[in-house]
Amino acid sequence: MENASARNMWGSYLKNHLEDVFHETPKTMYFGDNKIDANQNAHLIKSGVKKAVSYALLGLQNRHEPLPKIGDYIVVTDYSGEAQCIIATTAVTLKPYFSIDTAYAQLEANGDKSLDYWKKYHWELFTRELAKFEREPRESMIVVCQEFKKVH
């Protein structure tokens, strides 16, 4: 782990969770594609309000990134890379965009937590993300829904 603040936070977590000493080193990342969103998401996760994030499956595939899996740890950072908290993945579901429901939108906790806000926010996010691969979002595209709990 190259990020010193993330390394220190992971070490602090391990002091009280020796059962995870041999666990794979966690990813270090922020959620969002810009400073405002990344910092807001970090704040919502750290405060325990945000309990899920979503990815376009096509985006993960084009970046050659693996699907998240239950038990994965992530050191969440702000946009500048400063560690904010650690989360553990509790569920991963693949759903078509059109089937995302209000309950899931509330877990993501963006904006007013409504399904309308979730759809608008993610449509714009996926549009920017997929444009890099000369692709466009569709109502039928698969969304990777990752749920988590804050552990530190």
Side-chain angles (χ1 to χ4, degrees):
M1 192 180 304
E2 294 178 23
N3 180 318
S5 70
R7 187 173 49 250
N8 291 339
M9 184 171 281
W10 181 241
S12 175
Y13 170 79
L14 290 177
K15 280 187 211 174
N16 298 314
H17 296 89
L18 294 176
E19 69 276 10
D20 290 324
V21 165
F22 296 108
H23 196 283
E24 180 179 316
T25 302
K27 281 183 173 180
T28 300
M29 62 189 295
Y30 57 82
F31 296 103
D33 66 346
N34 61 72
K35 183 177 182 176
I36 292 170
D37 288 348
N39 291 345
Q40 179 66 24
N41 284 327
H43 171 74
L44 290 170
I45 293 168
K46 186 176 180 178
S47 65
V49 174
K50 185 174 184 70
K51 297 176 180 156
V53 293
S54 301
Y55 312 91
L57 178 60
L58 193 56
L60 290 177
Q61 290 171 328
N62 277 287
R63 289 189 306 275
H64 307 289
E65 291 181 24
L67 286 172
K69 60 185 185 300
I70 294 171
D72 282 350
Y73 288 100
I74 299 171
V75 178
V76 178
T77 70
D78 60 17
Y79 191 75
S80 66
E82 191 65 30
Q84 300 297 306
C85 61
I86 299 172
I87 59 174
T89 301
T90 58
V92 178
T93 310
L94 305 181
K95 298 180 181 181
Y97 177 87
F98 66 78
S99 74
I100 300 296
D101 59 19
T102 301
Y104 183 75
Q106 290 175 346
L107 287 176
E108 278 227 30
N110 292 104
D112 64 3
K113 300 182 187 178
S114 70
L115 180 58
D116 287 341
Y117 187 94
W118 186 96
K119 288 199 173 223
K120 181 181 183 313
Y121 174 87
H122 284 84
W123 192 265
E124 291 170 3
L125 177 66
F126 296 153
T127 297
R128 292 189 304 270
E129 175 187 16
L130 297 178
K132 298 171 188 171
F133 309 109
E134 298 179 3
R135 303 294 294 265
E136 294 179 359
R138 300 183 192 283
E139 287 283 328
S140 60
M141 71 180 163
I142 300 300
V143 176
V144 179
C145 302
Q146 179 181 8
E147 296 178 41
F148 53 80
K149 64 180 178 181
K150 184 180 83 166
V151 295
H152 185 76

